[in-house]
Amino acid sequence: MPGSDSTAHKSKSRRPKYSQFSQQELPAFKLILTPGYVISTFIVVGLIFVPIGLISLFASETVVEIVDRYDNECIPKDFRDNRVEFIKNKQTNKSCTRTFTVPKQMKSPIFIYYQLENFYQNHRRYVKSRSDKQLQSKKNAAHIRECKPMGETDNKDPIIPCGLIAWSLFNDTYGFSVKGKDLKVNKRDIAWGSDKNYKFGADVFPKNFQVGDVGGKSLNSSIPLSEQEDLIVWMRTAALSTFRKLYGKIEDDLQANDVITVVIENNYNTYDFKGTKSLVLSTTSWIGGKNDFLGVTFITIGGICLFLAITFILLYVIKPR
Amino acid sequence: MKRYIYINDDETSQDLYCANRLSNRKYTLMNFLPKNLWEQFSRFMNQYFLLIACLQLWSLITPVNPASTWGPLIFIFAVSATKEAWDDYNRYLSDKKANEKEVWVVKQGIKKLIQSQDIRVGNIVWLRENDEVPCDLVLIGTSDPQGVCYVETAALDGETDLKTRLIPAACMGMDFELLHKIKGVIECPGPDKDIRRFDGNLRLLPPFIDNDVCPLTIKNTILQSCYLRNTEWACGVAVYTGNETKLGMTRGIPEPKLTAVDAMIDKLTGAIFVFQIVVVIVLGTAGNVWKDTEARKQWYVLYPQEFPWYELLVIPLRFELLCSIMIPISIKVSLDLVKSLYAKFIDWDYEMIDPETDTPSHATNTAISEDLAQVEYILTDKTGTLTENRMIFRRCCIGGIFYGNETGDALKDVGLLNAITSGSPDVIRFLTVMAVCNTVIPAKSKAGAILYKAQSQDEEALVHAAAQLHMVLVNKNASILEIKFNGSVLQYEILETLEFTSDRKRMSVVVKDCHSGNISLLSKGADEAILPYAHAGQQTRTFVEAVEQYSQLGLRTLCLAWREVEEDEYQEWSLMFKEASSTLIDREWRIAEVCQRLEHDLKVLGVTAIEDRLQDGVPETIETLRKAGINFWMLTGDKQNTAIQIALSCNFISPEPKGQLLSIDGKTEDEVCRSLERVLLTMRITTSEPKDVAFVVDGWALEIALKHYRKAFTELAILSRTAICCRVTPSQKAQLVELLKSCDYRTLAIGDGGNDVRMIQKADIGVGISGREGLQAARAADYSIGKFRFLKRLILVHGRYSYNRTAFLSQYSFYKSLLICFIQIFFSFISGLSGTSLFNSVSLMAYNVFYTSIPVLVSTIDKDLSEGTVMQHPQILFYCQAGRLLNPSTFAGWFGRSLFHAIVAFVISIHVYAYEKSEMEEVSMVALSGCIWLQAFVVALETK
């Protein structure tokens, strides 16, 4: 039959092409967990982790940090029972003076932070209440849809910068002096360069800001947003309800036992929600600020690895399978 | 519902039935979008995702950009819609090609060339050689003077041999001219899908009046999609058209099979969904409480004093959206993707290519490969599956004398050859029956050799053997049959053919010797269908012994018999037969009854024994798979003894004393009941002993057992690892599959012939052997393989790997989604339970698509153990069978792992990265990279 010839030919061509992939014969590496491998892996990990932990712990120890909580002390005695009224009253004198001594020598730059506790910058309603478009460019001034409930004034004029975050800008101020001499606080370059250059426009000026319901700090409407570094820092919302934000830098060294006097304008309302306010002075090391956690974690993990390795060795020696 | 078809009448039947317009399309251009969307949304998962996506449009509650859900959702929908559309478009193209094919049809008495789609019921369609038949036709004329034509039905049933088709008696001898003008009525049942049956009647109208109602059978039809071969032309009346043809009715989308793994994934998804709801309710309530007690004091959040009624819902819904990623949207897509890759691996496998025909294995169903590893019962056919289905005539017993016992080959037995040369009448008769009593078609090849085309392998073997013993079937056209014996030509006129059915188990022909005019009945069939009808004087003992002896050797036996029929008796019977043949109701049964009236007082001539060799590697395959904990049942239409012999020779059952074979038999209910009880008792006792106990049951007893003692039989089925069921019908095979499935066993049915199709379709996995009995089984099956021994590789290698990989991939998908989701939940605890999302839309999407979906595809080529190891230690399959890699407890492990990893990643990213200075975007990036590293580590650890 002529047909059978063609079908035979056809079935021959149906034979699939050979490749390592199609035959599932790709070369493979397989790790077999022999006691030797396991023990040596643990030892290596342990031997690497413990020194790293020690080094970072040491680095963290070299950082000098001064934390001073002032929210209670800066309320005059008569107002201690009525803090909210004090802070909301525009007439009261809010200045207060704090002193503390430097425990160890602090090398410049010394970073000044303010630390808030129980302040939920990560609350959904708060986090979303900003308009990145508006901040970026002048032409997006009317872009206030996301900013609710702080998008426009009662006259329906758009607020620049709009939103709850900008509106609640931190407004305490600090003045430092050592031995009667004022310390200069550098407030430039405290925000990220990328934020200044790209996210906050040089042609965007504050407008209708803090009109009517006043939340926090007011902004000078003749300075563009890209220069308002306090605002830029504040608008990088914190992940935790306890957070620090950079206030400025002191570019002088401080000696041990120097007494620092700080004059604080205590304006910001944290008394409503029982939040705290602290002032933090800190130097840095190569791992950043003071943080023992990293070092402790490394040492713990390395220690566990070494312990396991030793246990396995003992088990292997005493009772081999 | 009956049809009355007026032949060649353009007016009456015009609009009664549909035109011959094929349509396999599921959609039209207009309804594609709504219908396809409706179908996709009828799945629960999709409804869920749509709900989530819609909720995300509400900007007050959405944690992320709605695009992060809509994007993937639309993508997934687009992919499956495109696939559907492409398939449908291809169907449309092939329909269009078939519909616009031009055919010759008689209209108003003139032959015209029209498009196939314009054929109407009642039209006369003309076909030339090698034309495809456009619709179901009743043959009324052919170029052959005897009214025969040949068709190839491969597209219909996969059988490649040519089949003869006959024009009805009433149309015999009509010439070309008359066929244009013919008028008449065909009475036939409404459209159905039985391609082996057509019970109709034809009555011609004046001037062709014949008075007689002429019966029509499937023999008088040519069905759609067949090809006309070896015939110059043929014409027929369209009886079924368009989608109402036999082929059109059989076509249909088979029910999708759901694997055990799929079912488990669905269950786990449900569990995760419940967990998600619990989380949402708890966090939502807590969030509302926190809002009322704490958040109102936070002046900077500026909560209004009055709020709308839905305010209470806002926080729970936010959490719902945050948690919606717990159920990964990509799981279905990636599983479908990797499953089709597994299927391709099967198609590509070099070691599963049939060396004889060069046919690779093929996975028709791409979705169920992991089920292969969970098979617990294999139900196998015998003939053609375990054996090669290459029949060779080996021995025979003629008139009490055994031939071929010494040499094992009767064709070389000197005694037989001598008997033939000396002209022993019994032997000659025997050979005549071998050559005549069959449905084989001899065809002359160009070289002059005679090729036999047979539907039954046994018949082919008999005719071949007869030819070697000098009784050559030379020619057969219509009713005249020519045989050459030792140089002289004998001619027989075939008066009637009493066809083989599985109930009758025999076939007979009534022939008239053209030389002497004597009429005789020649029969062949199973021993129990022939020996009881022997005439009273004959001793059948030797034949019973012969049958016994042969079947113990594993040979297939047939008894041959004949009887002379008087002219009067034949005429009388012939009328009855004709009447029975033209009934429309219960025709098969009526014919069987009439046949019975002629088939009695037979003179038994002898017994033939045909060998069917085992395929290569069958015993090893069965042994290996049995070690892997798979139970085997053999379901065969063959005799009990033959089946047992084959079973012994292929390791199916062990010989005494290691094994024990219990038999359930009996002809009445009581007998069956008693023997069933007895077997069950023995079975219960021996379960503790290390003994291979099997039971054997025949079709008759099985029928009774299934009908009346289903419970006992089910218990037996659970107890018994091996069973042999002989003399079973296709529907009983399917019933047995159902029975095992109802006991919650995963079943695999393997077979090669049309009689296995039902069992293949019923079983969880159907495997077809693309063998000699046509492709019917292979087409209906989920997997088609060339040889039985490939089953080992299919299950142990492909099935096992697929199961392992799917188990890993599905659980990993949940793991990585839960990981990110837990971090979101933890973050909500420190963000005032307000439902803030730590991650932004872009990172979430990137995490799901780039970082997790693509690397894990590596696992699709992962092998935990080498193929050789698995083949050598098939016991390893126990693991997969019991579903130990994917079940609620492994899933709980993955759940715990993701929880633990989430805690680690969260704590470290919050604390290590500068504590109080931590700022949301930084934390989110650190946490995200932590997740990415962790999950990559998990992938590396879990794949080997």
Side-chain angles (χ1 to χ4, degrees):
Chain A
M1 231 177 85
S4 65
D5 229 347
S6 68
T7 48
H9 189 77
K10 216 169 155 190
S11 62
K12 196 151 250 160
S13 64
R14 275 201 308 177
R15 190 174 248 265
K17 245 177 84 181
Y18 176 85
S19 80
Q20 277 191 324
F21 175 72
S22 68
Q23 299 306 311
Q24 306 197 57
E25 284 166 1
L26 288 175
F29 166 74
K30 200 165 137 191
L31 186 83
I32 297 162
L33 291 177
T34 61
Y37 268 124
V38 175
I39 291 169
S40 40
T41 314
F42 274 131
I43 289 178
V44 168
V45 170
L47 288 183
I48 294 172
F49 273 32
V50 171
I52 292 180
L54 287 174
I55 293 167
S56 28
L57 207 55
F58 177 75
S60 171
E61 281 307 306
T62 60
V63 172
V64 184
E65 194 177 86
I66 302 164
V67 182
D68 180 61
R69 180 177 165 181
Y70 65 85
D71 58 317
N72 264 334
E73 277 65 30
C74 281
I75 303 270
K77 288 241 162 41
D78 343 344
F79 286 97
R80 284 276 157 93
D81 299 328
N82 218 344
R83 302 161 194 226
V84 177
E85 197 182 297
F86 167 78
I87 205 82
K88 281 192 171 161
N89 194 337
K90 288 200 175 97
Q91 262 69 53
T92 47
N93 177 18
K94 306 241 173 45
S95 307
C96 110
T97 310
R98 306 275 304 154
T99 53
F100 40 81
T101 43
V102 178
K104 264 198 276 182
Q105 192 206 23
M106 293 172 90
K107 284 241 169 70
S108 80
I110 300 159
F111 292 91
I112 306 162
Y113 300 96
Y114 51 89
Q115 176 173 329
L116 298 183
E117 239 171 77
N118 205 20
F119 189 101
Y120 287 87
Q121 259 204 322
N122 56 15
H123 193 280
R124 190 177 185 285
R125 210 178 143 82
Y126 187 81
V127 145
K128 293 247 159 190
S129 183
R130 63 189 287 164
S131 167
D132 285 329
K133 281 208 167 130
Q134 193 204 43
L135 296 173
Q136 203 175 22
S137 170
K138 189 180 178 179
K139 60 176 187 283
N140 295 331
H143 221 282
I144 53 164
R145 202 165 53 87
E146 300 96 329
C147 288
K148 266 185 264 178
M150 197 43 73
E152 51 194 10
T153 60
D154 296 341
N155 309 330
K156 307 281 173 208
D157 289 327
I159 300 172
I160 303 174
C162 70
L164 288 175
I165 312 182
W167 174 68
S168 59
L169 180 59
F170 187 73
N171 57 359
D172 285 5
T173 58
Y174 312 114
F176 296 89
S177 57
V178 175
K179 301 169 193 154
K181 200 178 94 205
D182 279 1
L183 279 175
K184 195 168 173 289
V185 175
N186 184 359
K187 293 205 56 141
R188 298 203 66 81
D189 293 332
I190 54 173
W192 289 19
S194 63
D195 280 2
K196 274 167 47 179
N197 297 337
Y198 305 110
K199 291 186 127 181
F200 291 77
D203 58 349
V204 187
F205 293 89
K207 198 178 150 198
N208 299 329
F209 192 62
Q210 306 289 22
V211 205
D213 194 3
V214 178
K217 189 177 165 183
S218 297
L219 294 175
N220 185 341
S221 56
S222 59
I223 303 173
L225 290 188
S226 60
E227 304 291 318
Q228 308 265 15
E229 296 203 28
D230 278 330
L231 178 77
I232 298 175
V233 169
W234 180 254
M235 299 234 1
R236 279 220 158 250
T237 47
L240 307 178
S241 60
T242 301
F243 60 90
R244 284 176 190 183
K245 296 234 170 265
L246 194 55
Y247 178 82
K249 288 176 279 187
I250 297 173
E251 279 158 350
D252 298 306
D253 290 354
L254 292 176
Q255 303 308 318
N257 300 322
D258 276 357
V259 176
I260 306 177
T261 312
V262 191
V263 179
I264 299 171
E265 278 298 323
N266 182 20
N267 296 322
Y268 203 68
N269 178 9
T270 56
Y271 303 98
D272 251 349
F273 49 88
K274 301 191 182 66
T276 70
K277 293 192 277 192
S278 316
L279 176 65
V280 180
L281 295 181
S282 169
T283 59
T284 52
S285 70
W286 58 268
I287 64 156
K290 193 169 183 66
N291 187 350
D292 298 343
F293 185 85
L294 191 66
V296 172
T297 315
F298 268 114
I299 292 172
T300 321
I301 292 173
I304 291 172
C305 284
L306 286 178
F307 171 75
L308 283 177
I310 292 163
T311 324
F312 282 150
I313 289 171
L314 289 178
L315 272 180
Y316 196 51
V317 169
I318 297 168
K319 215 173 143 192
R321 269 209 300 176
Chain B
M1 195 193 74
K2 269 186 192 169
R3 270 189 179 199
Y4 293 95
I5 295 155
Y6 297 89
I7 301 171
N8 208 2
D9 189 334
D10 291 321
E11 286 83 42
T12 25
S13 58
Q14 220 21 284
D15 296 315
L16 218 46
Y17 308 113
C18 67
N20 190 36
R21 192 188 164 79
L22 280 180
S23 175
N24 296 314
R25 286 160 68 194
K26 219 163 134 191
Y27 310 104
T28 63
L29 212 56
M30 295 303 288
N31 76 6
F32 174 74
L33 213 60
K35 197 173 170 187
N36 184 265
L37 283 180
W38 177 253
E39 268 177 19
Q40 297 207 41
F41 280 122
S42 50
R43 279 178 239 148
F44 172 73
M45 280 267 236
N46 288 341
Q47 286 169 6
Y48 168 79
F49 289 128
L50 183 72
L51 179 75
I52 295 297
C54 287
L55 280 177
Q56 287 194 337
L57 290 179
W58 189 6
S59 64
L60 187 64
I61 58 170
T62 178
V64 290
N65 194 328
S68 66
T69 302
W70 282 102
L73 193 68
I74 289 171
F75 175 75
I76 286 167
F77 272 57
V79 167
S80 38
T82 316
K83 192 167 157 265
E84 285 276 304
W86 177 248
D87 289 350
D88 213 47
Y89 180 65
N90 280 334
R91 282 196 286 265
Y92 164 74
L93 284 187
S94 69
D95 284 355
K96 193 174 154 168
K97 210 172 135 199
N99 283 336
E100 291 181 356
K101 199 178 219 171
E102 305 220 301
V103 282
W104 289 99
V105 168
V106 177
K107 292 242 166 176
Q108 272 105 27
I110 310 151
K111 214 153 72 168
K112 278 187 190 160
L113 200 59
I114 62 165
Q115 286 191 344
S116 162
Q117 55 183 322
D118 298 326
I119 298 175
R120 291 274 170 177
V121 169
N123 285 157
I124 295 174
V125 180
W126 291 73
L127 301 165
R128 298 225 190 89
E129 187 167 359
N130 296 336
D131 273 354
E132 190 184 346
V133 182
C135 59
D136 291 356
L137 304 174
V138 165
L139 216 54
I140 53 169
T142 77
S143 58
D144 186 280
Q146 307 294 338
V148 177
C149 74
Y150 298 95
V151 287
E152 188 188 299
T153 57
L156 205 58
D157 54 14
E159 293 167 18
T160 48
D161 57 295
L162 295 187
K163 300 213 169 74
T164 37
R165 291 293 186 251
L166 218 70
I167 63 173
C171 303
M172 205 65 102
M174 262 185 226
D175 67 12
F176 217 77
E177 285 296 304
L178 277 175
L179 285 173
H180 280 76
K181 296 181 203 142
I182 194 166
K183 298 267 174 188
V185 186
I186 292 173
E187 186 187 342
C188 64
D192 60 37
K193 57 181 173 184
D194 192 346
I195 57 167
R196 309 209 176 277
R197 232 171 112 171
F198 176 79
D199 304 336
N201 280 323
L202 167 74
R203 184 182 313 196
L204 295 180
L205 295 179
F208 305 94
I209 195 108
D210 198 4
N211 259 340
D212 242 0
V213 175
C214 174
L216 300 173
T217 68
I218 197 74
K219 282 261 176 200
N220 306 116
T221 62
I222 42 181
L223 301 182
Q224 190 185 35
S225 86
C226 297
Y227 285 86
L228 191 66
R229 303 276 192 218
N230 296 355
T231 313
E232 204 180 310
W233 58 264
C235 69
V237 182
V239 282
Y240 302 124
T241 47
N243 284 356
E244 290 179 347
T245 59
K246 299 257 181 198
L247 182 70
M249 301 291 283
T250 25
R251 213 182 284 130
I253 300 143
E255 235 174 83
K257 291 181 177 177
L258 196 70
T259 66
V261 170
D262 282 338
M264 182 55 77
I265 292 174
D266 283 355
K267 225 187 270 173
L268 295 175
T269 311
I272 287 293
F273 182 68
V274 171
F275 172 72
Q276 177 186 331
I277 295 294
V278 171
V279 167
V280 166
I281 289 173
V282 170
L283 290 185
T285 318
N288 273 331
V289 170
W290 196 87
K291 182 185 82 182
D292 284 336
T293 54
E294 291 295 320
R296 296 219 179 278
K297 294 184 208 147
Q298 317 269 8
W299 57 270
Y300 52 89
V301 180
L302 217 64
Y303 257 120
Q305 285 309 311
E306 275 150 39
F307 47 83
W309 60 270
Y310 56 80
E311 188 72 17
L312 269 179
L313 282 179
V314 167
I315 289 181
L317 282 179
R318 275 181 196 157
F319 278 112
E320 172 60 39
L321 290 185
L322 267 187
C323 294
S324 67
I325 48 169
M326 265 188 201
I327 299 172
I329 199 166
S330 59
I331 186 164
K332 283 265 174 208
V333 182
S334 42
L335 281 182
D336 282 353
L337 197 76
V338 298
K339 279 180 181 182
S340 46
L341 186 66
Y342 305 154
K344 275 277 164 254
F345 279 141
I346 293 173
D347 292 359
W348 285 333
D349 197 331
Y350 259 43
E351 286 176 42
M352 299 212 311
I353 296 175
D354 188 353
E356 278 170 35
T357 58
D358 238 359
T359 321
S361 302
H362 179 60
T364 319
N365 190 339
T366 58
I368 61 169
S369 40
E370 68 266 10
D371 235 16
L372 282 171
Q374 295 195 290
V375 166
E376 289 156 302
Y377 273 88
I378 293 180
L379 296 104
T380 167
D381 177 40
K382 183 178 77 66
T383 316
T385 307
L386 298 174
T387 62
E388 276 190 341
N389 204 12
R390 184 174 296 155
M391 308 293 175
I392 301 162
F393 179 79
R394 284 299 183 199
R395 294 167 196 228
C396 62
C397 165
I398 306 173
I401 305 162
F402 288 83
Y403 295 105
N405 271 11
E406 294 82 33
T407 50
D409 188 355
L411 298 180
K412 290 184 186 127
D413 193 298
V414 188
L416 184 58
L417 295 175
N418 284 342
I420 294 168
T421 27
S422 64
S424 148
D426 264 355
V427 175
I428 306 285
R429 269 260 119 76
F430 187 83
L431 292 180
T432 313
V433 176
M434 270 168 76
V436 173
C437 179
N438 53 48
T439 54
V440 175
I441 303 160
K444 278 236 166 67
S445 72
K446 280 177 192 131
I450 297 170
L451 295 173
Y452 294 115
K453 298 213 167 280
Q455 288 173 46
S456 149
Q457 300 282 329
D458 295 79
E459 287 187 345
E460 198 182 333
L462 288 181
V463 174
H464 267 292
Q468 285 190 341
L469 294 170
H470 313 294
M471 182 72 80
V472 189
L473 174 61
V474 187
N475 200 358
K476 191 191 246 177
N477 47 24
S479 55
I480 303 293
L481 187 138
E482 274 180 25
I483 287 180
K484 223 188 221 164
F485 179 62
N486 279 346
S488 57
V489 174
L490 307 171
Q491 280 195 329
Y492 291 97
E493 188 188 347
I494 299 176
L495 299 174
E496 297 292 350
T497 305
L498 286 56
E499 280 180 37
F500 176 87
T501 64
S502 48
D503 291 324
R504 273 161 37 82
K505 289 173 186 159
R506 65 173 171 263
M507 80 156 285
S508 311
V509 286
V510 183
V511 293
K512 188 175 179 180
D513 190 333
C514 292
H515 184 66
S516 63
N518 291 336
I519 298 174
S520 50
L521 172 84
L522 311 181
S523 299
K524 75 167 197 297
D527 51 323
E528 79 263 27
I530 295 283
L531 295 182
Y533 304 102
H535 73 90
Q538 197 179 12
Q539 284 292 328
T540 54
R541 203 124 119 268
T542 44
F543 299 118
V544 175
E545 277 166 18
V547 168
E548 197 93 326
Q549 190 190 339
Y550 290 148
S551 46
Q552 270 180 15
L553 293 164
L555 301 172
R556 297 159 70 92
T557 55
L558 283 174
C559 291
L560 308 188
W562 84 291
R563 162 166 100 88
E564 279 205 7
V565 182
E566 296 300 318
E567 182 74 32
D568 302 349
E569 190 192 355
Y570 169 70
Q571 291 302 347
E572 198 183 312
W573 176 83
S574 174
L575 284 176
M576 286 194 291
F577 186 67
K578 214 164 252 166
E579 193 197 343
S581 313
S582 50
T583 44
L584 290 181
I585 309 147
D586 284 337
R587 181 185 280 183
E588 202 176 295
W589 182 80
R590 289 280 301 276
I591 290 177
E593 198 195 41
V594 172
C595 289
Q596 189 92 44
R597 295 194 192 177
L598 199 64
E599 295 165 329
H600 59 82
D601 284 340
L602 300 169
K603 182 171 187 292
V604 181
L605 293 166
V607 181
T608 59
I610 296 166
E611 186 193 46
D612 187 6
R613 280 200 306 150
L614 277 186
Q615 284 187 17
D616 283 348
V618 167
E620 294 84 351
T621 307
I622 290 181
E623 202 190 327
T624 314
L625 289 178
R626 179 154 297 142
K627 268 193 212 151
I630 298 174
N631 303 331
F632 273 91
W633 281 32
M634 185 200 275
L635 315 180
T636 172
D638 229 329
K639 303 183 37 56
Q640 183 157 332
N641 286 340
T642 318
I644 292 173
Q645 279 314 310
I646 293 282
L648 277 171
S649 62
C650 61
N651 267 343
F652 203 85
I653 48 175
S654 323
E656 302 264 0
K658 221 183 124 215
Q660 191 180 355
L661 194 64
L662 307 164
S663 131
I664 301 170
D665 42 21
K667 293 277 170 229
T668 63
E669 268 185 46
D670 285 345
E671 283 170 34
V672 172
C673 177
R674 249 176 284 137
S675 98
L676 188 63
E677 299 267 292
R678 202 179 52 238
V679 170
L680 207 51
L681 205 66
T682 332
M683 219 40 126
R684 285 200 198 108
I685 297 165
T686 47
T687 37
S688 50
E689 294 172 32
K691 204 171 183 183
D692 293 335
V693 186
F695 73 88
V696 55
V697 61
D698 67 359
W700 183 260
L702 186 67
E703 187 76 46
I704 296 172
L706 284 177
K707 211 171 192 173
H708 301 286
Y709 308 105
R710 206 181 165 86
K711 223 177 127 197
F713 191 76
T714 311
E715 197 192 336
L716 183 66
I718 296 169
L719 280 172
S720 168
R721 295 200 54 194
T722 313
I724 300 171
C725 306
C726 22
R727 298 278 180 205
V728 289
T729 60
S731 66
Q732 282 180 325
K733 289 184 178 184
Q735 275 177 23
L736 285 171
V737 171
E738 287 277 277
L739 183 88
L740 287 174
K741 270 175 86 177
S742 70
C743 304
D744 244 1
Y745 287 121
R746 290 264 128 190
T747 52
L748 181 148
I750 177 165
D752 73 320
N755 58 347
D756 305 314
V757 169
R758 286 179 66 181
M759 126 174 129
I760 284 173
Q761 281 171 337
K762 270 273 147 48
D764 292 310
I765 303 166
V767 179
I769 301 229
S770 40
R772 296 166 162 266
E773 273 187 43
L775 291 169
Q776 235 184 326
R779 272 183 201 185
D782 302 309
Y783 296 95
S784 72
I785 54 180
K787 289 268 180 278
F788 183 79
R789 63 169 190 274
F790 297 152
L791 192 62
K792 182 164 78 168
R793 196 172 158 80
L794 188 67
I795 290 177
L796 287 177
V797 174
H798 291 288
R800 191 172 164 281
Y801 283 148
S802 304
Y803 174 76
N804 287 359
R805 292 163 186 174
T806 306
F808 169 73
L809 189 68
S810 51
Q811 295 184 100
Y812 162 82
S813 295
F814 278 106
Y815 157 80
K816 57 128 191 187
S817 312
L818 282 171
L819 177 62
I820 212 99
C821 192
F822 276 131
I823 290 183
Q824 296 271 48
I825 291 174
F826 295 149
F827 183 71
S828 73
F829 283 115
I830 60 164
S831 65
L833 292 166
S834 57
T836 318
S837 171
L838 179 61
F839 305 106
N840 60 34
S841 326
V842 179
S843 353
L844 277 182
M845 202 130 99
Y847 178 77
N848 276 322
V849 178
F850 300 112
Y851 297 122
T852 59
S853 291
I854 294 165
V856 80
L857 292 183
V858 174
S859 74
T860 54
I861 50 166
D862 172 43
K863 292 176 165 186
D864 56 338
L865 294 167
S866 75
E867 289 170 12
T869 320
V870 182
M871 291 289 221
Q872 270 169 24
H873 305 282
Q875 294 86 340
I876 211 131
L877 196 71
F878 282 137
Y879 241 78
C880 305
Q881 264 170 2
R884 291 229 209 123
L885 295 180
L886 175 65
N887 56 37
S889 64
T890 56
F891 189 72
W894 280 93
F895 187 88
R897 184 185 231 170
S898 64
L899 184 61
F900 172 67
H901 286 182
I903 291 173
V904 170
F906 185 69
V907 169
I908 290 185
S909 45
I910 288 291
H911 282 95
V912 169
Y913 197 80
Y915 191 33
E916 292 90 351
K917 275 186 281 179
S918 57
E919 173 252 312
M920 254 180 84
E921 273 178 42
E922 288 166 348
V923 170
S924 104
M925 283 304 139
V926 173
L928 188 72
S929 38
C931 291
I932 292 165
W933 279 108
L934 274 172
Q935 62 84 20
F937 175 69
V938 165
V939 172
L941 196 76
E942 290 288 327
T943 60
K944 279 102 187 176

